Amino acid sequence: GELPQNYQQSINQAAAEGVMVTSVENGSPAAEGGLKQQDIITEINGTKITTTSELRKYLYKNGKVGQVMSFTVYRGDDTSTIKIKLGKS
């Protein structure tokens, strides 16, 4: 979900505008791709993501089952790109 104000102040500025992962279901495409709880998603396939609704809209409009998408995430002080193969929602 959106980041709490106090959390935004303690992280990298670019990550402060992302969407925090609040949970990852075991065995899900997100888990298999390496996404973890408290990762902060800032981009999908190069498109900036700043709210949960933007994330959902992007995946709904652009995502297809079996497609691999690149998620830019902040974890701690590191940025990485995680490839996730989309599954059924």
Side-chain angles (χ1 to χ4, degrees), residues 10-23:
S10 66
I11 59 174
N12 182 300
Q13 182 57 41
E17 297 178 356
V19 176
M20 180 182 281
V21 176
T22 55
S23 66

Side-chain angles (χ1 to χ4, degrees), residues 2-87:
E2 278 74 36
L3 298 174
Q5 187 68 32
N6 62 337
Y7 194 80
Q8 288 180 16
Q9 295 169 355
S10 66
I11 59 174
N12 182 300
Q13 182 57 41
E17 297 178 356
V19 176
M20 180 182 281
V21 176
T22 55
S23 66
V24 178
E25 188 175 322
N26 286 337
S28 69
E32 290 176 12
L35 202 62
K36 297 185 185 290
Q37 187 173 341
Q38 295 192 343
D39 281 351
I40 300 169
I41 300 169
T42 58
E43 292 182 1
I44 302 174
N45 287 351
T47 299
K48 190 172 184 172
I49 302 294
T50 60
T51 66
T52 304
S53 62
E54 283 180 0
L55 175 85
R56 288 187 180 129
K57 281 185 206 174
Y58 184 87
L59 292 174
Y60 179 77
K61 289 171 93 174
N62 302 292
K64 295 174 181 45
V65 173
Q67 178 181 3
V68 176
M69 292 191 152
S70 296
F71 288 70
T72 301
V73 299
Y74 281 85
R75 182 178 298 154
D77 292 331
D78 297 324
T79 305
S80 60
T81 300
I82 295 174
K83 303 239 184 235
I84 297 175
K85 184 176 183 179
L86 302 182

